[in-house]
Amino acid sequence: MINLLIMGKPGAGKGTQSTRLLEYYHLTHISTGDIYREEMAKNSAIGKLAKQYIGKGELVPDDVTNDIVKNVLSTKKFPNGFMLDGYPRTAAQAVALDEMLKELGISLTAVINVEVDDKVLLERMAGRRVCPSCNATYHISFHPPVKDNVCDVCGTVLIQREDDLEESVLNRLRIYNEKTKPLLDYYKKKGLLFVVNGERPKDEVFNTILQRIGD
Ligand code: AMP
């Protein structure tokens, strides 16, 4: 049983690494961001409430998020373990998670932090372009399309996602630094924190994590 928590600043490459880790260890994915997106798509009461915060780039209140995770952890099956992604994001959430895990008799295997410098993140996100038609992603310097600003796959003109605009990135980084970063110390004190350099190539980052977690 491997129970992981994956953390990182917005744009650090957490998504890429978690997808690969989920496949490798056959873990159950618990992503609060995904849950909120599903609830918003269903237009449920939780979805409507979450939308007010997510639309402004703010965090959904702790009690709402904690209830959701508690419900998932106590009802969902995770035969090989789980990966919590995007939770906890505040000190209050970390404390609530500890209580939930204690009640359920579950312990965390490791907390992985994909570390990337703020300057590198801004550069990565400022250059990111997506195809509004087929969702293919590009980067103007690191992975440019063959023809300037046009999707290689379907020929649609590329756009910059609102989330990737500098103001939005800076706002999310500010929230991360203020609310989520202190959690790294919290998990370091528990001896659970594993920091991996997210500025290295993706495969290398993945292999470093595997070496730490083991089989
Ligand atoms: P993500 O895809 O993880 O970046 O989540 C998208 C948005 O959902 C975040 O910007 C928050 O507004 C909200 N959200 C996701 N997870 C949490 C959490 N643990 N606590 C509060 N809000 C969250």
Side-chain angles (χ1 to χ4, degrees):
M1 188 93 146
I2 293 178
N3 299 318
L4 301 176
L5 214 152
I6 189 151
M7 296 178 69
K9 293 169 191 166
K14 192 166 67 81
T16 312
Q17 297 303 328
S18 55
T19 307
R20 293 183 67 177
L21 288 165
L22 288 168
E23 274 175 21
Y24 188 88
Y25 291 115
H26 304 287
L27 303 177
T28 304
H29 193 205
I30 308 172
S31 153
T32 42
D34 282 354
I35 295 173
Y36 282 134
R37 279 182 284 275
E38 278 161 28
E39 294 297 327
M40 287 191 292
K42 284 194 281 188
N43 213 13
S44 68
I46 287 180
K48 282 185 196 155
L49 184 130
K51 202 170 186 170
Q52 296 172 28
Y53 297 91
I54 296 176
K56 287 188 276 181
E58 288 171 12
L59 296 180
V60 182
D62 286 338
D63 52 350
V64 179
T65 312
N66 288 336
D67 279 352
I68 288 176
V69 176
K70 191 169 186 176
N71 183 40
V72 173
L73 283 178
S74 51
T75 55
K76 209 167 178 169
K77 299 259 179 292
F78 22 87
N80 300 302
F82 59 75
M83 170 175 292
L84 266 171
D85 180 353
Y87 180 92
R89 261 176 155 103
T90 66
Q93 291 181 13
V95 170
L97 174 64
D98 274 351
E99 278 167 21
M100 291 174 215
L101 295 176
K102 199 168 155 197
E103 252 174 53
L104 295 164
I106 301 171
S107 55
L108 291 175
T109 310
V111 176
I112 301 161
N113 182 48
V114 185
E115 181 59 40
V116 177
D117 189 76
D118 284 7
K119 244 171 66 190
V120 176
L121 281 182
L122 283 167
E123 193 188 43
R124 274 190 195 171
M125 287 159 107
R128 196 145 73 176
R129 298 290 180 273
V130 294
C131 172
S133 173
C134 74
N135 288 324
T137 56
Y138 302 87
H139 190 283
I140 50 175
S141 321
F142 311 133
H143 173 45
V146 176
K147 196 172 157 210
D148 256 7
N149 221 29
V150 173
C151 180
D152 291 348
V153 183
C154 68
T156 309
V157 173
L158 303 177
I159 58 160
Q160 189 171 20
R161 224 181 258 159
E162 240 175 77
D163 273 23
D164 290 341
L165 297 177
E166 189 169 80
E167 199 184 330
S168 165
V169 176
L170 285 173
N171 189 40
R172 282 188 291 152
L173 272 176
R174 189 183 51 74
I175 294 178
Y176 175 89
N177 285 325
E178 185 186 316
K179 305 223 161 117
T180 311
K181 204 172 163 194
L183 298 189
L184 299 180
D185 236 17
Y186 181 84
Y187 288 113
K188 192 174 176 188
K189 285 191 182 125
K190 288 177 180 285
L192 287 170
L193 185 68
F194 177 58
V195 181
V196 60
N197 181 355
E199 292 176 30
R200 305 296 304 158
K202 286 174 193 164
D203 284 351
E204 192 181 317
V205 176
F206 181 61
N207 288 324
T208 310
I209 298 174
L210 289 194
Q211 275 167 21
R212 164 65 173 78
I213 310 294
D215 279 317

